[in-house]
Amino acid sequence: MRQVTTGAILALLCLLLSNAPALAQVPGLPSLPAASDGTKETDTATGKEPSLDDLIGILENDDSRAKLIESLKAAAYKAPAADAPGTPAPAEATPNHNLMQTVPGQLAGYSRAVVGWLLMTWQQVERTFTESVDTLAGAGRINLPRILEAILPVVLVAIVVFIVLGSTRYAKTRIYDRLAHRAVTSGPFRKLFLLVVSGLVDALSIVLGWAGGYVVAAVVNSGRPSLTQALFLNAFLAIELVKVALAAFVSPRYPQLRLTPFSDRQASYWYFWLSRLISVLGYTFLFLAPVVQDNSSAAAAGAVKFLVALLSLATILALILKNRRRVEERLGRRYVAGSRTFSTRFNYLLGKVWWLLAAIYVLALFSAWLTSPTTTLPFLLAASGKSVLAMAVGGLVVTILSRLIVRGVPVPDTVKERLPLLERRVNSFIPNALTVIRVLVVVAVLAVILDAWQLLNLRSWMAAQAGQRIVGGIVGAGTVAILGFAVFLMVSSWVEYRLNPNFGTVPTARERTLLSLFRNAFTITLAVIVVMLVLSQLGIDIGPLLAGAGVVGLAVGFGAQKLVQDIITGAFIQLENAMNEGDVVTVASISGVVERLTIRSVGLRALDGTYHLIPFSSVDSVSNMTKDFSQFVADLGVAYRENTDDAKQVMRDAFDLLQSGEHGPEIIGDFEMFGVNELGDSAVTVRGRIKTLPGKQWGIGRAYNEIVKKLCDERGIEIPFPHMTVWFGENKGGGAPPLHVDARARTESVVPRLEARPETPAPAQVVDRSRHGSVNSDGSPIPPDNDGEDGDGRG
C-alpha cells in the first residue's frame, strides 16, 4: 500500500510539473509561473523557484489538495483549447467538428463522458478504500489508560446531568398528558402550538440538566469545568436538542400531538433507531474522539471515528434492507388500490427504488467523510439538512392544510341562522384554494432542495427580473382570486340575508325574483372580471383575448338567435313584472307554480308535480292567476221550478257563513251578485263573484261550494242533474206490463244494514287551512289544471 501511495505521489508530481501553467490559475495554490517558452521562471519577489516544499505544502492542506485534484481532473478531461488568433487550425479540426454534429458522433461523445464518469467513480472508490485502511491503522496508537483517566472526571457530571433529567420526567409527563388531552379536540393550528409547547418543555428539562452539570463541574474543580467535562456537557446539549426535534417530528409516546402520518408502531420504531444513531455518532465525534486525540494521537481519534462510523453505516444499511418491502408497500398502497394520479404513480415508483437511492446516499456520505471531510462532507450535510428541513416544513404545512380541508371552517350558529348557505359556500371554496396552496408549497420545497444542492440558484433567480415577474404574478393572481371570492361571498350573503324571511322585512315575490337574477348576473360578471385580472397578473396579454371574445360573441350571436331571443324576451318580461317566483301562471298552455325564473327561461311545477322548463322564445302570452288579487266566480244551477230569489239568498247566506269562518281573512271584498247568467237546457245558472287574496280563490271556491250544497239541501232547492227514464214498453191494449219488485227481499236486505250502522259522534271541527286545497302542506300554492282553471275559479 505504501508503494502504491509513493507511486501515486510521483505521478502527481509529474502531472504537476507538466501542467504548471494550468495550476497557476487555480485559486488558493502557490503561484507557479511559466515563461512564454514553457520553462519555469524565478519568482521576482522572492528569487526562488518552485520546489518540492511547495508541493508538500499543497498536499498537506485539505483545501489546496482538493483544488489541485479538481484542476488535474479538468486538465485531464478538458478539450484542447483553440490556438491564438491567426494560427491556422489543424486540417482535421473541421471534420471532427462536423462529425460531432452527427448522431453517431453525439453517441460517441456521450459514451466517452460515461466512461470518464465511471473512471472517476472507480478512482473515488479506490481512494476511499485507501483512506479507510490508512485511518484504521491508527487504532494501534490508542492509549487506553490515559483516555480512561481523562474520562473519569466526567462520570460524576454525567450522573448529575441524568439525575436532573430524570427528576423532571414526572413533571414533564403530567404536562404532556394535559397537552395530549387538549390536542384531541384541537384544530391543526392549535395542535401545532401544543406540539411546540411540548418541545419547549422537553428542551427546558435538557437545559436544566446541562446547567446542573456545569454547576457540579465548577464546584468540583473549584472554578471552571475541565476540558473533558465541557466537551461532554456541550455534546449532551447538542445531541439531546436534536433528539427533541426528532421527538417533536414523530411524537412516539403521544400520538395525539403527532402531525406527521406515522402510525404508533412506526413512530416508536424509527425514533428508537434514529435516536440511538444520533447518540452514538454525536458522543463519538463531539466527545470521545476529541478526548482520544488529546490523550493519544490524531490517528487514534481518526480510527475511533472510523470504527463508529463504519458500525453506524452497517446499521443504517441493515435498516434500509430490512424495511425495504414495508416502505414499498406503504408508498404503493394507493396505487394498488386503483388510484392513478401523478402523486400516486410517483410514490409507487419511488417505493421500488427508495432503498437503492438511500443506500447510495449513505455510502456517498461515508465516502465524502473519508476522502473530503472539509469540503464535500460539509456541503453534503448542509444540503441534506436543508432538504430535510424543507420537506419537514412543507409536509407539516400540507398536513395542516389537509386537516383543514377535512374539518372545514365552522360558522357560528347565530350567523348560520341569518346566512344558512354561508358555511357551505366557504367550505366549497377552501378545498380548491388549499389545493392551489399545496401545489405552491410543493414547488417551493422543490426549489429549496434544488438550491440546497446547487442545481438552482434560488437567490439569484429571485433577484432576476424573470423571477420577480413570476413570483409577483403568482402573488398578484392569488390576491385577485381571494378578493374576488370575498366580494362574491359578501354579495351572495347580502342577497341571502334579504331573501331570509326570518330576519328583516319579508321579501316580496318581486324582490325574490330580482335578487335571484341579480345574484346570477353578478356572479357571471365577477367571474369574467376575476379571470381576466388573474391572466393579466400572470403576464398574459388579455387584449387579444378580449378581441377574440368579441369575435366569438358576434359569431355566437348570429348562430344562436334563439338564445338571444330568449334573453331579450325574458328581459322584457322581467321589466314588465309579468310574473315572479311563487306565482301561479299559464305559460305556453302550461299551468303551474313558478319555481325558477332566469333571464332565459321559466320553470313551472304543475299540479301533478311535473316540472316544466319553458324558454321565453316560445312564450307568446303570460296568464298570471295570482297577480295582486284573485277572484272566484261562483255559478249555481237550480231547477226551472225554483225561485231565483231563493237561489240568490242561498248564495248570499253561504258567503256570510264563509266569511265568518276560517277563510274569512282570505276574503278581501264583498260578495258581488251578478244574477241569472244563463238559462240552460236543464238549469237556471245564477252567478256571483268573491274577491280573495292572490292564490286563495281555489280553496275558497271549494269551501263555498260545500256550504251552498248544504244550504240547498236544507231549504229544498233542487240542483238539477241529468235524469234517465226507463221505458218498459206497452201492450196492444195500451197498458204497460207490470214491474215485478220483491219488496220483502229488498226490506230484508236493506233494513238490517241500516239498523246495524253504529252511531258515531260528530267529529270536532279542526281548523285546517289546506283542507280545501288553498295551499300544500308546506305552504306553497296549489296550481290549477293545465287548462288554466280549477273548479269554477279564474285568476
Side-chain angles (χ1 to χ4, degrees):
M1 183 58 63
R2 294 297 179 185
Q3 293 177 355
V4 174
T5 305
T6 305
I9 292 176
L10 292 176
L12 185 61
L13 178 61
C14 295
L15 283 172
L16 179 65
L17 296 177
S18 61
N19 292 279
L23 295 178
Q25 306 300 324
V26 180
L29 297 181
S31 176
L32 295 174
S36 58
D37 57 355
T39 61
K40 296 183 292 182
E41 289 184 353
T42 59
D43 195 330
T44 57
T46 61
K48 297 180 180 180
E49 294 183 355
S51 63
L52 289 177
D53 294 335
D54 297 329
L55 177 61
I56 293 173
I58 294 174
L59 296 177
E60 287 180 346
N61 187 278
D62 293 335
D63 295 335
S64 59
R65 183 172 69 248
K67 294 177 181 179
L68 175 61
I69 293 173
E70 293 175 359
S71 63
L72 292 177
K73 289 179 181 179
Y77 295 105
K78 186 177 180 181
D83 293 337
T87 305
E92 63 273 13
T94 301
N96 287 343
H97 177 73
N98 295 332
L99 179 62
M100 290 301 296
Q101 299 301 320
T102 61
V103 174
Q106 293 179 357
L107 293 177
Y110 294 151
S111 62
R112 289 177 61 192
V114 171
V115 171
W117 178 80
L118 292 175
L119 180 61
M120 293 176 60
T121 303
W122 173 253
Q123 292 174 353
Q124 183 71 15
V125 172
E126 183 180 5
R127 183 182 174 193
T128 302
F129 180 76
T130 304
E131 292 286 347
S132 301
V133 174
D134 293 342
T135 303
L136 192 59
R141 303 179 184 180
I142 297 178
N143 191 341
L144 193 58
R146 292 187 58 185
I147 295 174
L148 293 177
E149 182 181 358
I151 294 178
L152 190 59
V154 182
V155 175
L156 178 61
V157 176
I159 292 174
V160 172
V161 167
F162 288 106
I163 287 176
V164 174
L165 193 62
S167 62
T168 60
R169 179 171 299 177
Y170 176 73
K172 289 195 303 182
T173 303
R174 296 190 63 182
I175 295 175
Y176 288 159
D177 291 337
R178 292 184 178 181
L179 294 177
H181 179 71
R182 292 184 178 181
V184 174
T185 58
S186 300
F189 289 107
R190 187 178 180 185
K191 183 176 289 188
L192 177 62
F193 173 75
L194 296 176
L195 183 62
V196 172
V197 171
S198 66
L200 293 177
V201 171
D202 204 359
L204 179 61
S205 65
I206 293 171
V207 171
L208 290 177
W210 172 78
Y214 257 104
V215 171
V216 171
V219 172
V220 170
N221 293 278
S222 301
R224 57 182 181 177
S226 63
L227 179 61
T228 55
Q229 291 172 340
L231 286 173
F232 170 76
L233 291 172
N234 293 337
F236 165 79
L237 182 63
I239 293 168
E240 295 302 323
L241 288 180
V242 173
K243 291 167 67 175
V244 166
L246 178 63
F249 185 73
V250 298
S251 296
R253 290 187 292 271
Y254 295 93
Q256 298 89 343
L257 296 171
R258 188 182 305 139
L259 290 175
T260 50
F262 287 102
S263 63
D264 295 345
R265 189 192 64 81
Q266 292 172 343
S268 301
Y269 178 83
W270 288 111
Y271 179 77
F272 174 83
W273 284 108
L274 291 178
S275 61
R276 267 61 178 179
L277 288 172
I278 291 172
S279 298
V280 170
L281 291 174
Y283 283 110
T284 298
F285 281 79
L286 298 179
F287 172 67
L288 184 59
V291 172
V292 172
Q293 181 175 353
D294 186 58
N295 294 277
S296 294
S297 64
V304 171
K305 292 190 288 187
F306 176 78
L307 290 174
V308 174
L310 185 63
L311 179 61
S312 301
L313 174 66
T315 303
I316 294 174
L317 293 177
L319 288 174
I320 291 173
L321 295 177
K322 182 179 180 181
N323 294 275
R324 172 185 173 185
R325 296 297 181 187
R326 189 176 301 165
V327 176
E328 179 182 352
E329 291 175 359
R330 182 172 179 83
L331 291 175
R333 185 179 303 169
R334 295 181 60 187
Y335 183 85
V336 174
S339 178
R340 291 297 183 269
T341 60
F342 175 78
S343 59
T344 303
R345 293 176 184 271
F346 177 78
N347 291 334
Y348 178 76
L349 295 176
L350 182 62
K352 296 292 184 182
V353 299
W354 79 270
W355 63 273
L356 182 60
L357 299 177
I360 291 175
Y361 172 77
V362 173
L363 291 173
L365 201 63
F366 182 77
S367 175
W369 172 70
L370 284 176
T371 58
S372 184
T374 59
T375 55
T376 307
L377 181 63
F379 170 74
L380 289 178
L381 292 178
S384 302
K386 293 179 181 178
S387 301
V388 171
L389 182 62
M391 289 187 292
V393 174
L396 182 62
V397 172
V398 170
T399 301
I400 293 176
L401 294 179
S402 301
R403 296 195 178 187
L404 282 177
I405 293 175
V406 174
R407 291 174 59 90
V409 177
V411 175
D413 294 336
T414 56
V415 179
K416 192 181 297 184
E417 291 178 0
R418 295 174 178 268
L419 308 172
L421 300 179
L422 178 61
E423 184 175 3
R424 188 176 68 181
R425 287 196 184 97
V426 173
N427 291 325
S428 64
F429 173 78
I430 285 180
N432 300 325
L434 294 185
T435 300
V436 176
I437 296 175
R438 290 172 63 180
V439 173
L440 294 178
V441 169
V442 172
V443 172
V445 169
L446 291 177
V448 172
I449 293 175
L450 293 176
D451 180 73
W453 293 95
Q454 295 185 359
L455 300 176
L456 172 68
N457 194 341
L458 186 61
R459 184 174 300 177
S460 300
W461 181 80
M462 291 286 292
Q465 184 177 2
Q468 293 178 356
R469 184 173 64 251
I470 293 175
V471 174
I474 293 175
V475 174
T479 304
V480 170
I482 293 174
L483 292 177
F485 175 74
V487 173
F488 165 76
L489 196 63
M490 288 189 297
V491 174
S492 300
S493 300
W494 176 78
V495 172
E496 181 183 351
Y497 175 76
R498 286 292 299 116
L499 294 177
N500 192 346
N502 298 325
F503 295 92
T505 58
V506 178
T508 62
R510 176 70 171 167
E511 289 177 338
R512 291 197 304 269
T513 302
L514 294 179
L515 288 174
S516 300
L517 292 176
F518 168 74
R519 179 171 55 192
N520 296 334
F522 179 81
T523 301
I524 296 174
T525 305
L526 181 64
V528 173
I529 294 175
V530 169
V531 169
M532 291 299 178
L533 291 178
V534 167
L535 294 178
S536 176
Q537 289 294 324
L538 293 177
I540 300 176
D541 188 8
I542 63 175
L545 292 178
L546 295 175
V551 174
V552 171
L554 185 62
V556 170
F558 281 109
Q561 298 182 18
K562 205 71 172 177
L563 177 62
V564 175
Q565 183 181 356
D566 290 341
I567 296 175
I568 293 176
T569 305
F572 279 102
I573 289 177
Q574 295 305 318
L575 290 176
E576 295 174 0
N577 194 19
M579 56 182 166
N580 296 297
E581 290 184 1
D583 290 350
V584 180
V585 299
T586 299
V587 176
S589 300
I590 298 176
S591 300
V593 181
V594 179
E595 283 194 356
R596 183 172 177 270
L597 192 62
T598 65
I599 196 68
R600 192 195 70 85
S601 62
V602 58
L604 300 183
R605 181 73 63 179
L607 179 64
D608 58 356
T610 304
Y611 181 78
H612 301 275
L613 184 64
I614 305 171
F616 284 127
S617 59
S618 61
V619 176
D620 53 1
S621 65
V622 177
S623 301
N624 194 333
M625 286 167 273
T626 56
K627 182 72 172 176
D628 299 334
F629 62 90
S630 299
Q631 289 182 336
F632 171 69
V633 178
D635 288 334
L636 175 60
V638 297
Y640 272 89
R641 68 169 179 240
E642 303 294 343
N643 190 346
T644 57
D645 293 335
D646 296 338
K648 293 178 182 179
Q649 188 61 38
V650 166
M651 296 179 69
R652 292 189 182 96
D653 293 342
F655 174 78
D656 294 337
L657 292 175
L658 179 67
Q659 192 174 27
S660 61
E662 59 185 274
H663 293 284
E666 299 173 356
I667 301 174
I668 59 177
D670 295 332
F671 184 76
E672 299 180 69
M673 176 58 69
F674 294 157
V676 177
N677 185 65
E678 182 183 1
L679 299 175
D681 294 337
S682 60
V684 177
T685 304
V686 182
R687 172 168 291 183
R689 188 170 66 180
I690 302 173
K691 190 174 184 180
T692 68
L693 293 175
K696 304 300 181 181
Q697 69 270 32
W698 299 291
I700 288 179
R702 296 184 183 97
Y704 181 77
N705 289 333
E706 288 183 7
I707 299 175
V708 168
K709 174 64 169 60
K710 182 179 179 181
L711 293 179
C712 288
D713 292 341
E714 292 176 352
R715 300 179 185 182
I717 298 176
E718 179 185 358
I719 301 176
F721 56 91
H723 291 73
M724 179 183 295
T725 302
V726 180
W727 183 65
F728 292 94
E730 59 184 15
N731 53 23
K732 292 182 178 181
L739 177 64
H740 300 284
V741 178
D742 191 352
R744 184 185 58 180
R746 180 175 180 273
T747 303
E748 292 177 354
S749 61
V750 175
V751 172
R753 286 184 296 175
L754 294 177
E755 293 176 353
R757 182 178 302 170
E759 294 183 0
T760 57
Q765 185 177 3
V766 180
V767 177
D768 184 5
R769 303 180 66 85
S770 63
R771 66 189 181 92
H772 294 113
S774 298
V775 293
N776 290 311
S777 59
D778 59 354
S780 60
I782 297 178
D785 295 331
N786 285 337
D787 58 358
E789 297 184 4
D790 185 33
D792 293 330
R794 293 181 180 271

